[in-house]
Amino acid sequence: MKEKNLDSRRWLVLVASCLINLCIGSIYAWSVFASPLAEKLSALSGGELASASLSIVYTVANSVGPITMISGGYINDKLGPRWVVFAGGLLFGGGMLASGFATSIPMLVVTYGLGCGLGMGLAYGCTINNSVKFFPDKRGLIGGIATATYGLSSVLVPPVANLLISGAGISQAFIVLGVAFVLIVGVFSQFILKCPENYCPAGYQPAVKRHFRHSVPPCKTAQGGAVLSNDKNWREMLADPTFYMMIFMLMCGAFSGLMITSQASPMAQSITGMGAGLAAMVVSVLALFNAAGRVVAGSLSDRFGRVTVLLAAFLLEIVGLVILLTTGTGGVAQFIAGVSIMGICFGALMGVYPGFTADQFGAKNNSVNYGIMFIGFALAGCLGPSVVGKVLTSTGSYSGAFLIAGGLAVLGIVLALLYQKTTN
């Protein structure tokens, strides 16, 4: 396909990728399913099962994604993303559909935890990285848009799921959503093209130095001249000390975001005394600011540099945590302000990192490399919710969790400054 056609087709690829991400992002709508599932399983067993006891299902779903991000990323880099995304949609939608027939927690761990989690990793890794490869001229913005649609799913899917649950029950809701996701991802995966190696849009001249020493987007210029490339495979990436600074930065930043995301509603009710209805609105506010942060920070990182934006996000995160730490009963507005800031910071991190990884280690192998980098996010997904739960159980307060998150934000700042010092 001619380069000129690719310059226009890449936008169609982005739109298709975003619609797919809206589907697979519904994995974060777990809180909508947890209580109805607990009631269903309680009725089947004749006992009483708390929704909190199902948290293992959500933990597994969040933890296994990097497995298929890495393996699917390898296939994506070699053969292209179309059929990898298609397979991810089948696995994700099939896992959702099978969850409608689950009669125990172990079954849900397999269907929702492994099925949806592994399917999400297959599709997400390809949609994000292929989109970033098509836009070497605006990696931050495109990474932000692609990840933002993934995050927006937690705003758009819950109302639909609630309608299905209230009208037909939890089992039928899973079945309907599963079938819908298989169809949507199956259709739109066919619009996804593999980005040619060294692709550059017309008129784009890759900079030799862009924001930091290693940022040299590998492209062929319109005149066919060679440009410098910083492509590294996963072995070379793991041998680079910079990788470890980056992955721990990701874990430090994602910790607080995932901690608050997992507890936003009960946290709002416990700290301020607000009702369940208003607390549910807080969850939507968090998701919206999360999505906005991805797009805004991604765009800003194209202009001012990835690490500059990450430093700002870590500093702002500390402000948000202080606001939450000092919020008391009745402080609804203050709590919402704190949660909004945390949403922006969490979104900024997720929007910047796909482009950041490609800048540092090259676009050629970014599907695998970003999959490995995403392990930092998975670690935060395990640690954040578990730490806040243990702190709350042992102290009866969220304050200790906010302090731990603040300490990790400070560590993130230190790592970002160290990165700047060693790469400039």
Side-chain angles (χ1 to χ4, degrees):
M1 189 174 290
K2 293 181 179 180
E3 298 282 317
K4 188 174 181 181
N5 291 335
L6 282 177
D7 288 355
S8 56
R9 286 290 297 277
R10 64 178 183 160
W11 292 100
L12 179 60
V13 171
L14 176 63
V15 170
S17 298
C18 288
L19 290 171
I20 290 167
N21 286 348
L22 276 174
C23 293
I24 61 175
S26 62
I27 198 168
Y28 292 114
W30 172 253
S31 59
V32 175
F33 304 127
S35 294
L37 275 173
E39 292 176 9
K40 173 188 172 179
L41 296 182
S42 296
L44 289 172
S45 65
E48 187 164 349
L49 188 68
S51 59
S53 61
L54 295 171
S55 61
I56 181 63
V57 179
Y58 186 59
T59 300
V60 170
N62 274 299
S63 302
V64 299
I67 297 172
T68 42
M69 282 184 71
I70 296 168
S71 57
Y74 178 81
I75 299 171
N76 174 32
D77 285 336
K78 299 297 181 183
L79 304 177
R82 178 177 295 166
W83 295 110
V84 180
V85 173
F86 182 80
L90 283 179
L91 188 54
F92 184 89
M96 189 76 73
L97 189 156
S99 296
F101 298 97
T103 56
S104 66
I105 293 177
M107 284 182 70
L108 282 168
V109 168
V110 173
T111 58
Y112 194 94
L114 293 178
C116 293
L118 293 172
M120 179 276 294
L122 270 179
Y124 181 77
C126 290
T127 56
I128 299 298
N129 287 293
N130 194 58
S131 297
V132 168
K133 288 178 181 180
F134 264 113
F135 291 86
D137 48 337
K138 41 177 78 73
R139 283 176 176 164
L141 174 62
I142 298 306
I145 292 173
T147 58
T149 51
Y150 178 78
L152 273 177
S153 183
S154 59
V155 179
L156 301 177
V157 172
V160 176
N162 273 323
L163 283 173
L164 290 171
I165 292 169
S166 60
I170 182 64
S171 295
Q172 288 300 313
F174 271 131
I175 292 170
V176 171
L177 288 172
V179 171
F181 292 152
V182 167
L183 291 174
I184 294 171
V185 177
V187 169
F188 284 101
S189 65
Q190 302 310 300
F191 290 91
I192 295 182
L193 306 174
K194 180 182 179 182
C195 181
E197 190 174 335
N198 297 329
Y199 164 74
C200 267
Y204 173 61
Q205 294 296 323
V208 173
K209 179 178 175 67
R210 191 179 183 197
H211 305 319
F212 28 79
R213 179 165 59 96
H214 296 290
S215 179
V216 187
C219 303
K220 292 176 182 175
T221 63
Q223 293 76 26
V227 296
L228 294 175
S229 171
N230 64 318
D231 287 320
K232 292 186 177 183
N233 60 32
W234 67 270
R235 293 183 184 86
E236 293 168 327
M237 181 180 74
L238 293 179
D240 188 339
T242 304
F243 165 76
Y244 298 96
M245 286 187 277
M246 291 173 64
I247 195 170
F248 280 111
M249 263 196 285
L250 176 59
M251 189 191 73
C252 289
F255 178 92
S256 60
L258 290 166
M259 176 188 81
I260 291 173
T261 300
S262 70
Q263 291 285 319
S265 179
M267 191 180 284
Q269 296 176 64
S270 173
I271 292 175
T272 69
M274 69 176 71
L278 187 55
M281 185 204 75
V282 169
V283 175
S284 295
V285 168
L286 174 62
L288 286 170
F289 276 91
N290 179 3
R294 296 176 188 226
V295 178
V296 172
S299 179
L300 290 175
S301 74
D302 285 331
R303 181 174 180 182
F304 299 107
R306 317 291 183 218
V307 181
T308 301
V309 172
L310 289 174
L311 271 171
F314 279 122
L315 289 168
L316 194 58
E317 184 178 305
I318 293 172
V319 173
L321 288 166
V322 169
I323 291 173
L324 292 175
L325 184 63
T326 57
T327 301
T329 304
V332 173
Q334 183 175 341
F335 184 85
I336 292 175
V339 162
S340 300
I341 291 173
M342 297 306 295
I344 290 172
C345 297
F346 182 41
L349 196 83
M350 301 313 298
V352 166
Y353 252 81
F356 188 25
T357 308
D359 286 344
Q360 184 66 42
F361 304 110
K364 180 179 179 181
N365 303 301
N366 197 48
S367 298
V368 174
N369 290 346
Y370 183 62
I372 295 172
M373 187 70 72
F374 203 74
I375 292 172
F377 179 89
L379 286 173
C382 292
L383 293 174
S386 118
V387 166
V388 71
K390 288 179 180 178
V391 168
L392 182 62
T393 301
S394 60
T395 67
S397 168
Y398 289 100
S399 297
F402 292 147
L403 291 172
I404 293 170
L408 287 173
V410 172
L411 177 58
I413 292 172
V414 172
L415 289 169
L417 292 173
L418 182 61
Y419 174 91
Q420 284 187 324
K421 183 178 180 180
T422 57
T423 57
N424 284 330

